[in-house]
Amino acid sequence: MGVQWKAFVDQISHYESFVLVSHIRPDCDALGSELGMAEVLRTIGKKVRIINAHRTPAALQFLDPASNIEVLGDHVEAEDISADCIMILDTSAWAQLGDMGDVIRASRADKIIVDHHVGEDDIGATMYKDYQAEATGHLVVQAADALGVTLTRSMSVPLFAAIATDTGWFRFGSVTPETYRIVARLVDAGVVPSEIYSDLYERDTLGRLRLRGLILSRTQSEVDGALMHTHVEKEDFTKVGAEPNDTEDAINLTLAVQGTKAAVIFVGQIRGGFKLSFRSRCAMDCNEIAQQFGGGGHKAAAGAFQEGTLDDVRARVLPVVIEAVRKATR
């Protein structure tokens, strides 16, 4: 079922000020949805701040040329954050909010969630979710329509990036005819897709290229080639001169191997433990697997986090994924 946008509009009308928040390690859908929604709300006269727990990755700074996104602890302290409403975009999980989660818990502001992920925690928010949407950026376009806001170029650039990246540049199974209709409207508003593609994929650092080479060199196969897995340890980032966000989309490279149906990557975190990313091109449900490890997401793509060494985490996770792939490919 889609979002009840009339209820959303009615609720928005009660507030004058908003703080927009998204998940830690923000990607294009998180950042693009925040930036797009901020402009939508400002267009109807609302006061808006975007405050995240983590900094915008350098490679994605082009989405925010005016540096509108603030970072908790860098630009603003928790006690200085106030608003009538806190709107959480592109996540519904406490674990994904980082230090902003504490701010949200302590705030008396009303809470709204706009998201497309299946899993959710009880955050005490009014939910506006569509599990069928391929990106939260798509939902922000629908919100603009519901509020009677005309799409502008500055609004559309981050929203296009949000949708393009969450669909693997329109190659994932989540893409529908409506995806292209939405994207066409963003292009009509002034988006130049080739420019966004260049900003995203043709400005790699040498460190990012070396990191991808390392990831690919470590790829191993299981279940007669149906499953690929690889890893990055936190020390690798320093060794090759890369940033943690440089692992984004790397897992999808392993799916290019003929016969591959699923993949998992273990990414070492600076503070310890490993971020897990699952991908599926078969009946294996990534969300179900991720939930077993405290995470969530979608059927075709999901993530989680596990404490421990690489050997420990891999020993816990790989057997579960291997069994799921075997069942899905029988």
Side-chain angles (χ1 to χ4, degrees):
M1 180 182 291
V3 172
Q4 298 299 312
W5 289 114
K6 184 180 184 303
F8 176 84
V9 172
D10 290 344
Q11 187 170 2
I12 292 296
S13 69
H14 295 298
Y15 311 125
E16 292 301 320
S17 60
F18 292 80
V19 167
L20 307 189
V21 181
S22 193
H23 54 75
I24 54 177
R25 297 181 293 273
D27 57 9
C28 273
D29 198 21
L31 298 169
S33 296
E34 288 179 309
L35 290 162
M37 182 66 83
E39 186 165 342
V40 168
L41 294 174
R42 289 182 183 124
T43 299
I44 61 173
K46 308 298 184 181
K47 297 177 182 178
V48 185
R49 297 174 75 181
I50 305 172
I51 306 174
N52 287 336
H54 284 186
R55 297 172 185 171
T56 299
L60 301 182
Q61 189 60 50
F62 75 93
L63 293 171
D64 184 25
S67 297
N68 285 317
I69 297 175
E70 301 175 80
V71 180
L72 183 65
D74 284 359
H75 309 107
V76 61
E77 299 302 324
E79 57 268 23
D80 299 322
I81 299 173
S82 63
D84 298 330
C85 177
I86 296 176
M87 185 182 296
I88 303 164
L89 296 115
D90 201 41
T91 185
S92 306
W94 282 120
Q96 286 290 303
L97 292 168
D99 290 341
M100 280 301 294
D102 293 333
V103 175
I104 294 167
R105 285 186 177 95
S107 176
R108 295 182 179 180
D110 287 350
K111 285 86 175 178
I112 285 176
I113 287 177
V114 178
D115 187 23
H116 71 135
H117 294 96
V118 176
E120 60 190 49
D121 292 333
D122 183 5
I123 295 178
T126 304
M127 300 278 192
Y128 297 98
K129 299 184 67 168
D130 184 352
Y131 309 132
Q132 302 303 314
E134 71 290 310
T136 299
H138 185 150
L139 300 181
V140 177
V141 175
Q142 292 181 336
D145 291 343
L147 290 165
V149 173
T150 300
L151 296 172
T152 64
R153 184 182 186 280
S154 59
M155 191 186 300
S156 298
V157 166
L159 292 175
F160 182 98
I163 297 169
T165 54
D166 250 34
T167 59
W169 211 260
F170 311 107
R171 72 183 190 274
F172 294 166
S174 58
V175 173
T176 68
E178 183 62 18
T179 306
Y180 291 107
R181 283 190 281 268
I182 289 287
V183 166
R185 291 178 55 200
L186 298 176
V187 173
D188 284 340
V191 170
V192 180
S194 60
E195 291 180 356
I196 297 179
Y197 186 91
S198 178
D199 283 330
L200 285 170
Y201 304 116
E202 296 177 342
R203 299 190 182 187
D204 282 347
T205 63
L206 184 57
R208 184 182 176 95
L209 288 177
R210 286 173 172 163
L211 186 68
R212 287 188 173 186
L214 189 64
I215 290 169
L216 291 175
S217 71
R218 291 173 172 168
T219 302
Q220 300 178 56
S221 67
E222 308 282 351
V223 197
D224 297 324
L227 171 66
M228 295 291 168
H229 63 92
T230 185
H231 70 274
V232 181
E233 298 202 61
K234 63 181 180 181
E235 296 83 5
D236 293 327
F237 297 109
T238 301
K239 288 178 182 177
V240 301
E243 296 183 3
N245 248 82
D246 287 332
T247 60
E248 187 177 345
D249 203 47
I251 186 174
N252 294 317
L253 299 176
T254 66
L255 292 170
V257 179
Q258 186 174 2
T260 301
K261 303 298 183 183
V264 57
I265 185 172
F266 302 81
V267 181
Q269 302 298 292
I270 301 302
R271 297 180 180 179
F274 283 80
K275 177 187 175 184
L276 318 174
S277 291
F278 307 96
R279 295 293 184 273
S280 174
R281 299 292 180 268
C282 62
M284 185 187 88
D285 191 324
C286 293
N287 180 57
E288 287 186 0
I289 293 175
Q291 286 182 339
Q292 294 182 53
F293 300 102
H298 306 283
K299 181 177 180 179
F305 172 82
Q306 287 284 287
E307 297 280 4
T309 67
L310 175 63
D311 288 343
D312 292 339
V313 173
R314 199 158 43 188
R316 287 197 296 269
V317 175
L318 263 185
V320 175
V321 182
I322 288 171
E323 181 59 25
V325 173
R326 282 178 176 155
K327 287 182 178 179
T329 56
R330 282 173 184 164

